[in-house]
Amino acid sequence: MKIQLYFVVVFAFFTSLQASFRLYFDTQVLISFYYESLCRDCHVFIENQLKPIVLNLGSLVIVDLIVYGNAMMNQSNNEIICQHGPPECTGNLYQACFIENNNILQSLDFIMCMSKQKNPKNTDSAAQICATEMKVNWHSLYTCAKGIKGKNIIARNRKDTESLNPPHKHVPWITVYFFIVFILLKHY
């Protein structure tokens, strides 16, 4: 009730300014999608829910893909342990590097391509096949995934995942934020 009343007051204020100002507003939705590279439920959600949302809503939706999922940091040696084993950690690195350098639809296609390979747990091979099919520079992707840049992206994803409030309980995990942007332009 308090939020609704506040919105009405703000809307009334902006409406009263219309005589001398032009009011424009735009709404965008931010969807943060937390997932793992070898999680079947995540792939089903991407294919049946997330990609159709992106295709149908276009610029109204901003999607942030955060590949880390239920991985954990081993405090004794500072290595990441992934729920589905080392191949998932490698797949997470490839996907994180791909996402960093490509748009959302390309990223979703790459994730789904990797998941549909004959042996998706061979993440090195799956990533190379998909990069080649999508005409992405394999050497750059490989260098990122095997180097410090990939580790830094995963560290950021880990931080984002661990800072969720409330904490995630499973993957896929989705957060949704709505933004309303008001723009006032002086009317001449």
Side-chain angles (χ1 to χ4, degrees):
M1 182 66 162
K2 198 178 225 182
I3 293 172
Q4 290 173 336
L5 180 59
Y6 177 72
F7 181 74
V8 169
V9 170
V10 168
F11 186 75
F13 170 74
F14 284 124
T15 304
S16 69
L17 292 176
Q18 287 232 261
S20 58
F21 290 92
R22 197 90 151 139
L23 172 66
Y24 297 94
F25 68 94
D26 191 13
T27 304
Q28 284 193 314
V29 178
L30 170 62
I31 299 172
S32 295
F33 180 70
Y34 298 82
Y35 78 101
E36 300 167 332
S37 64
L38 293 179
C39 170
R40 180 70 189 132
D41 290 336
C42 297
H43 303 150
V44 169
F45 187 87
I46 288 170
E47 191 164 28
N48 297 330
Q49 303 293 322
L50 192 56
K51 188 169 180 185
I53 287 170
V54 172
L55 287 171
N56 290 318
L57 296 180
S59 65
L60 296 176
V61 65
I62 300 167
V63 178
D64 192 14
L65 300 171
I66 300 105
V67 57
Y68 184 79
N70 294 325
M72 297 181 308
M73 178 64 77
N74 181 338
Q75 297 302 328
S76 66
N77 63 7
N78 284 336
E79 286 191 25
I80 294 174
I81 301 168
C82 293
Q83 181 176 354
H84 299 104
E88 182 167 75
C89 286
T90 303
N92 288 353
L93 282 162
Y94 281 117
Q95 291 180 11
C97 288
F98 190 94
I99 291 163
E100 190 77 8
N101 296 303
N102 293 278
N103 71 41
I104 184 63
L105 285 173
Q106 292 168 323
S107 297
L108 294 174
D109 287 344
F110 184 77
I111 294 164
M112 292 312 302
C113 178
M114 283 186 66
S115 75
K116 292 179 178 179
Q117 295 306 305
K118 288 181 184 176
N119 185 3
K121 289 185 180 182
N122 184 345
T123 49
D124 287 310
S125 174
Q128 185 172 15
I129 290 167
C130 296
T132 302
E133 284 179 12
M134 296 180 72
K135 298 179 180 18
V136 170
N137 184 314
W138 167 245
H139 178 72
S140 295
L141 183 62
Y142 179 86
T143 302
C144 175
K146 300 298 183 178
I148 192 70
K149 183 176 180 185
K151 289 179 181 172
N152 288 339
I153 298 167
I154 290 295
R156 183 184 67 216
N157 289 355
R158 174 180 167 235
K159 181 181 174 195
D160 290 348
T161 302
E162 290 178 353
S163 67
L164 283 167
N165 188 13
H168 81 287
K169 296 180 181 359
H170 51 77
V171 289
W173 191 262
I174 299 99
T175 60
V176 179
Y177 299 94
F178 294 91
F179 297 97
I180 300 175
V181 179
F182 292 98
I183 301 170
L184 285 176
L185 299 176
K186 180 77 172 154
H187 183 67
Y188 294 101

